Amino acid sequence: MTHYVMLLDSPVPRGGLGVFDFKSGQSREVRPPQGNLYEALAHCADRNMDWESYLKDLPSTPYPLTPAAVKYRPPLKPDNNLLVQISEITLCTAKTEQAWYYKGNGRLLKTDGDPLQVPYHSQSISSEPCIVCLYWVDPFGALRFIGFTLGNDIHDHVLHSRDAISSTHAHLRTCAIAPALIVGELQADLAINVQIERDGQPLTASHHRMSLHRWQSLRRYSEEFLEKHEQFLEPGLVHYVFHSLSHRTANVPLQHGDWLSIDCPELELAMSNQIVEEELVSLVPLPARRAADRDGIDRPLPVPKKF
């Protein structure tokens, strides 16, 4: 199997990092004195230390990496939301179709199980499965690629298709990433499954693939773009860059209560989020998802439909 390392960032008061090595099949818990991954990176940079070696040398204990055991935070997220920049970069064949969209700061970033709240002024709700790349700007202003994970992004497709100005507004919506960070570069093509569920029943299912060639193009373009602009290189900033896996050919309108699930069997990553419309929260309360359903993201998804 390709060698990947997975990190999970658990919150205060527990603190610490869950680490899983795909090559050895071993999981362990590391508790850096700094508490979380962001603070550990800053600590290592201040002392000119390699952060991966630093974490590897810390005392560790065997630890079952089960999301049910603890509520994880979005990996690498600092406590200060203003140190987070969330954006989306699309890369199409034609150079003129490359686009960058600002999504917001850390306040909009959620993780597995968190609701994705949609503002009352939204005209429509659509979702996009994403690969999310995580970058950290070190104390010297250098952009450092840390790793990647899965993401659920929502946008307003009616606004997006209206005009250029409206398109930028369409992306100012909440989003979520999986609680596990895959350290380093993608090493092989990935298969990603996506499912939308409504009223306890599958609504749509689709299958996506991230090729190494596309990954390399996205990474190269994203880094070149971020490094061109000084405001993106403020020391301490964390960039979450969403890269859509879809081609926007089949926007499925979503509604209050729908569940979005995404999983990648090769990386043993999975996450699920529920759509919550702001004006319907008090009018149409949503029941808690049954335990059997909540675990459904660990089961094989239905055969994808051809759109």
Side-chain angles (χ1 to χ4, degrees):
M1 177 181 285
T2 308
H3 188 193
Y4 288 105
V5 174
M6 176 190 293
L7 289 178
L8 297 99
D9 214 343
S10 55
V12 176
R14 181 182 178 85
L17 299 170
V19 182
F20 178 73
D21 189 318
F22 284 84
K23 189 172 185 179
S24 66
Q26 296 180 344
S27 61
R28 57 194 180 94
E29 183 182 52
V30 177
R31 293 198 178 184
Q34 298 74 31
N36 59 47
L37 181 57
Y38 180 84
E39 294 174 351
L41 281 179
H43 171 82
C44 291
D46 288 342
R47 290 158 180 79
N48 198 27
M49 301 164 58
D50 178 71
W51 68 272
E52 291 185 67
S53 299
Y54 171 72
L55 294 178
K56 184 178 180 180
D57 293 338
L58 288 175
S60 62
T61 56
Y63 181 62
L65 299 183
T66 54
V70 63
K71 175 64 177 175
Y72 292 100
R73 61 190 288 155
L76 196 57
K77 183 182 177 185
D79 294 329
N80 184 352
N81 285 327
L82 297 182
L83 290 175
V84 173
Q85 179 169 282
I86 308 169
S87 60
E88 179 186 339
I89 290 180
T90 60
L91 180 62
C92 303
T93 305
K95 191 173 183 180
T96 55
E97 293 183 52
Q98 297 172 357
W100 173 83
Y101 298 99
Y102 175 71
K103 289 191 59 64
N105 62 35
R107 186 174 182 178
L108 296 180
L109 188 65
K110 310 298 180 184
T111 189
D112 178 43
D114 292 336
L116 298 180
Q117 187 155 313
V118 180
Y120 70 92
H121 53 77
S122 292
Q123 298 183 33
S124 64
I125 315 166
S126 292
S127 65
E128 290 186 4
C130 296
I131 291 286
V132 185
C133 292
L134 281 68
Y135 300 86
W136 176 68
V137 183
D138 71 17
F140 304 100
L143 188 70
R144 306 294 185 185
F145 175 71
I146 306 300
F148 66 96
T149 189
L150 300 180
N152 273 327
D153 186 22
I154 58 175
H155 69 283
D156 190 324
H157 71 267
V158 171
L159 278 180
H160 180 77
S161 59
R162 182 174 295 170
D163 53 54
I165 295 176
S166 298
S167 180
T168 61
H169 298 169
H171 292 265
L172 298 174
R173 300 291 182 269
T174 188
C175 53
I177 63 173
L181 167 66
I182 304 299
V183 178
E185 298 283 356
L186 182 68
Q187 300 172 33
D189 292 3
L190 289 183
I192 294 104
N193 303 306
V194 178
Q195 181 171 272
I196 300 175
E197 179 186 309
R198 179 171 296 167
D199 298 327
Q201 299 297 322
L203 180 65
T204 65
S206 57
H207 178 81
H208 305 268
R209 195 155 197 90
M210 174 61 76
S211 69
L212 268 178
H213 174 73
R214 187 182 176 200
W215 165 267
Q216 291 162 356
S217 297
L218 286 167
R219 285 271 295 109
R220 182 170 57 252
Y221 177 76
S222 298
E223 286 200 12
E224 289 175 355
F225 176 81
L226 293 174
E227 290 176 339
K228 282 180 182 177
H229 303 278
E230 291 184 2
Q231 65 266 38
F232 297 154
L233 300 177
E234 287 294 323
L237 273 182
V238 176
H239 291 274
Y240 295 87
V241 184
F242 282 67
H243 300 295
S244 176
L245 293 166
S246 67
H247 297 288
R248 307 180 192 272
T249 56
N251 283 309
V252 179
L254 302 178
Q255 64 185 35
H256 184 64
D258 288 353
W259 281 92
L260 310 176
S261 297
I262 179 172
D263 84 309
C264 177
E266 293 132 309
L267 298 177
E268 301 181 27
L269 281 179
M271 61 181 296
S272 189
N273 303 94
Q274 190 173 32
I275 297 294
V276 177
E277 296 191 49
E278 196 174 79
E279 72 275 21
L280 296 179
V281 171
S282 57
L283 297 175
V284 187
L286 295 171
R289 202 176 189 189
R290 298 191 305 272
D293 291 337
R294 183 65 186 88
D295 293 336
I297 57 174
D298 296 327
R299 299 194 301 266
L301 295 176
V303 177
K305 297 178 180 178
K306 294 186 180 297
F307 293 116

